[in-house]
Structures are given as structure tokens and as C-alpha cells.
């Protein structure tokens, strides 16, 4: 984790929404059945965050706090931003 000026690195996940890079465990595509189940279970537990602004979900971010975040950016775009961080 890179820190600059005492701040934790943040990643833009689209439409001005950001996530602390240090909290991200995985960035996955939303197409498989296990990931769809994970999304549904997170919604039931109140741990689903929709950051798509009504657009199609193209990536799902899983955090260490057990939150599941939906993003309309491609998985590759988010991982490139994480790598640049």
C-alpha cells in the first residue's frame, strides 16, 4: 500500500466514487453464478454498495470489510488503476 502525505491511496471506480485501495481484496467479473450468489447474499446482509449510477455492472469489488461494491467500469480498468496506485 502506497501512502502519500499520510493519506491512504484511493481508487476511482467511476462517476466520482472512490474506494480505499488498501481495503480491496478482489475485483471480479459479475457473470459467473458464484459471483451472482455473492452479490445476492451481500444485498440480504446490507453489505451491497451500488456505484453504477444506473449503468450496467461490469465489475464487482470485494473488500476486507465484507462489502460488495458494484462498478460500471471494466475489471481491467480498475486493476490498471490499482497497479498505478
Amino acid at each position: 500500500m502506497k501512502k502519500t502525505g499520510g493519506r491512504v491511496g484511493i481508487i476511482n471506480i467511476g462517476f466520482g466514487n472512490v474506494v480505499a485501495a488498501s481495503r480491496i481484496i478482489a475485483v471480479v467479473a459479475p457473470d459467473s453464478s458464484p459471483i451472482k450468489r455473492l452479490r445476492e447474499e451481500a444485498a440480504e446482509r446490507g453489505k451491497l454498495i451500488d456505484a453504477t449510477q444506473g449503468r450496467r455492472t461490469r465489475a464487482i469489488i470485494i473488500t476486507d470489510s465484507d462489502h460488495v461494491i458494484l462498478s460500471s467500469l471494466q475489471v481491467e480498468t480498475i486493476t490498471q488503476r490499482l497497479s498505478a496506485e
Side-chain angles (χ1 to χ4, degrees):
M1 171 178 72
K2 182 190 276 187
K3 290 187 179 184
T4 54
R7 295 181 310 176
V8 174
I10 57 174
I11 302 297
N12 184 330
I13 60 166
F15 305 107
N17 299 300
V18 295
V19 176
S22 63
R23 305 299 301 263
I24 296 174
I25 293 176
V27 180
V28 296
D31 304 328
S32 72
S33 294
I35 297 301
K36 288 178 183 177
R37 266 193 310 276
L38 179 74
R39 177 181 175 168
E40 291 169 7
E41 290 169 2
E44 290 170 4
R45 292 189 322 270
K47 296 273 190 167
L48 182 69
I49 300 170
D50 187 349
T52 63
Q53 303 288 18
R55 309 275 192 324
R56 179 175 163 228
T57 300
R58 295 193 168 143
I60 295 181
I61 301 165
I62 303 167
T63 66
D64 61 355
S65 63
D66 205 27
H67 284 86
V68 174
I69 305 168
L70 310 180
S71 174
S72 61
L73 295 181
Q74 295 284 349
V75 172
E76 295 80 12
T77 304
I78 296 171
T79 55
Q80 285 174 353
R81 292 178 183 185
L82 277 169
S83 296
E85 181 65 24

